[in-house]
Amino acid sequence: MTRIAVIGGGIAGTSAAYELAAGVEVTLFEQESTCGYHSTGRSAALFTECYGDPIVRRLAMASRSFLEQPPPGFTDDPILRPRAVMFIATTAQESSLAEALPGYRAMVPAVHGVDAAEAVARCPILDPAVIAGGIVEPEARDIDVHALHLGFQRGIRERGGRIVTSSGVTGLSPEGGGWVVETATARHRVDVVVDAAGAWCDAIGAMAGSTGIGLVPKRRTAFTFAPPTGAAPDGWPMILDVDEQFYFRPEGVHLLASPCDETPMEPHDVRHEEIDVALGISRVEAVTTMRIRSVAHAWAGLRSFVADHRPVNGWDPDLPGFYWVAGQGGFGIKTSPAMGRFAAGMILHGAPPPDLSAAGLSAEALGVARLR
Ligand SMILES: Cc1cc2nc3c(=O)[nH]c(=O)nc-3n(C[C@H](O)[C@H](O)[C@H](O)COP(=O)(O)OP(=O)(O)OC[C@H]3O[C@@H](n4cnc5c(N)ncnc54)[C@H](O)[C@@H]3O)c2cc1C
């Protein structure tokens, strides 16, 4: 039986391992003691079909049915919950709003524009003196990332796969047409290596002798705070600046916000900088009547991109048996079901699943050759 090592226990590695474990022997290696410690545990948990380039949007659309109706036993709780998104613009950004609407609507017909009064009616803390209007995506959703990630992990085990935590991969060497995967305590002989190590994908590639994919991890900050007294934010949409300068959304009893920072850096256990939190506060306050007195919790995570901001899902052209699932940027959670199925199709059958091909998700669009 084919043996596959998947490196990385975030949403990318677990979704690929889940699909692969249906057909082959899979071992997933995670360096941390738990699988969602890095980017996957730090996201804003939004499902939108309007964010990202057309390939990213098609991957999200192709993931929707799995997220809405996962296989029986996958999870006890629904993965998606209603949460509209409203892209907003100030009077200085009206041209951005006009430019964005046709592109959004071309792929998602339910998307529609709203005037300033309706935007404020949907989110009453928006400041009517500065808001010019918005674009509403009514079918966006909150994602229960924990339920999704746990469902993939449980499914891997139920299908006979293994997840080994606290097992960082320290070496990769080709041997007899396959690979030897080294950790601090063991050597594992496999036929295929899947590099799904998030911000560390190029570091794993380098261990295998690859020239890499030009991955750039970028820090993004998020923080939570109490909503204004008397506000009932649960029914509000997620508010996204049309030029991606900030967002905020209900998060339990709090609001969650981000300054949409993108600071390039080496992969590591990233922490937030107070200056980015302050920037987020000032950007949110500039379009609302709300004053943020104190922050409940702040954090940062890495969003890793290749040059064209599309994910990478394909064989390394120069390293037989080495497969990349990388570059999930700011869309790795919402695209994970389709990304996992795409990887399994390519690895097990030499082609993407027919429905993904029909959606324009080809080996050329997602593969490594476009980056070399
Ligand atoms: C603030 C923020 C908001 C976001 N909001 C959204 C959103 O609303 N919607 C959305 O879809 N996406 C969002 N994202 C993006 C999403 O979180 C990422 O795209 C996704 O989590 C990436 O998953 P991953 O598995 O590639 O990376 P990770 O979750 O980082 O997983 C990679 C894993 O590889 C492991 N690893 C690394 N090196 C080794 C090694 N040598 N051996 C073994 N294991 C190793 C790491 O420990 C890590 O657990 C957001 C991200 C951030 C930071």
Side-chain angles (χ1 to χ4, degrees):
M1 195 186 209
T2 306
R3 292 158 300 172
I4 297 188
V6 176
I7 305 175
I11 205 76
T14 53
S15 56
Y18 169 79
E19 296 294 344
L20 287 164
V24 293
E25 190 183 305
V26 174
T27 305
L28 183 150
F29 296 91
E30 167 54 50
Q31 66 184 355
E32 306 291 351
S33 58
T34 54
C35 277
Y37 180 73
H38 290 287
S39 304
T40 296
R42 307 181 190 199
S43 89
L46 177 70
F47 178 88
T48 159
E49 294 168 336
C50 288
Y51 182 75
D53 92 338
I55 291 290
V56 172
R57 293 174 65 190
R58 280 178 220 163
L59 281 164
M61 294 167 109
S63 296
R64 185 169 196 127
S65 58
F66 183 100
L67 296 170
E68 278 181 339
Q69 209 160 22
F74 185 84
T75 171
D76 301 329
D77 303 308
I79 294 171
L80 297 185
R81 291 179 196 276
R83 172 76 57 210
V85 161
M86 186 162 69
F87 301 87
I88 57 157
T90 63
T91 43
Q93 295 172 298
E94 280 181 281
S95 58
S96 297
L97 209 58
E99 272 168 38
L101 183 56
Y104 291 168
R105 199 150 52 189
M107 290 174 73
V108 187
V111 166
H112 57 93
V114 292
D115 62 15
E118 189 175 342
V120 176
R122 285 171 183 260
C123 180
I125 57 169
L126 289 175
D127 185 349
V130 299
I131 297 298
I135 297 172
V136 175
E137 182 189 359
E139 301 297 323
R141 293 287 183 265
D142 281 345
I143 308 174
D144 185 336
V145 178
H146 186 64
L148 176 64
H149 194 212
L150 270 185
F152 284 137
Q153 291 172 66
R154 183 158 65 182
I156 292 166
R157 294 193 178 97
E158 280 174 4
R159 291 173 172 189
R162 286 198 313 143
I163 298 175
V164 283
T165 52
S166 305
S167 292
V169 171
T170 53
L172 289 170
S173 36
E175 196 178 282
W179 292 89
V180 173
V181 178
E182 285 177 58
T183 64
T185 53
R187 285 163 57 86
H188 306 262
R189 176 84 181 73
V190 296
D191 303 296
V192 171
V193 167
V194 176
D195 179 1
W200 289 265
C201 277
D202 262 346
I204 295 292
M207 277 183 203
S210 162
T211 51
I213 54 172
L215 193 69
V216 182
K218 297 182 177 178
R219 182 179 64 215
R220 175 149 293 187
T221 306
F223 56 96
T224 57
F225 53 96
T229 312
D234 197 43
W236 297 351
M238 175 160 178
I239 302 296
L240 265 146
D241 174 63
V242 70
D243 293 321
E244 204 183 346
Q245 294 297 299
F246 64 86
Y247 58 74
F248 64 89
R249 50 162 293 164
E251 173 78 359
V253 297
H254 285 120
L255 294 176
L256 180 158
S258 171
C260 294
D261 47 328
E262 294 197 327
T263 311
M265 54 191 50
E266 291 298 311
H268 70 294
D269 185 2
V270 65
R271 304 285 149 150
H272 69 278
E273 298 281 338
E274 292 303 336
I275 184 115
D276 291 320
V277 175
L279 188 64
I281 290 174
S282 75
R283 288 179 178 174
V284 170
E285 286 188 344
V287 297
T288 60
T289 51
M290 166 174 69
R291 293 298 158 259
I292 301 170
R293 308 261 174 240
S294 65
V295 167
H297 178 49
W299 68 95
L302 294 174
R303 301 155 79 247
S304 299
F305 297 92
V306 295
D308 60 10
H309 282 219
R310 286 180 182 171
V312 180
N313 199 321
W315 293 107
D316 190 292
D318 304 318
L319 296 176
F322 190 90
Y323 196 93
W324 296 82
V325 183
Q328 282 82 352
F331 36 78
I333 311 290
K334 69 175 186 171
T335 57
S336 57
M339 284 285 284
R341 289 183 59 229
F342 191 97
M346 291 292 292
I347 294 169
L348 302 181
H349 309 296
D355 61 311
L356 299 185
S357 292
L361 298 164
S362 63
E364 292 71 34
L366 291 169
V368 175
R370 74 185 206 265
L371 302 165
R372 294 266 170 87

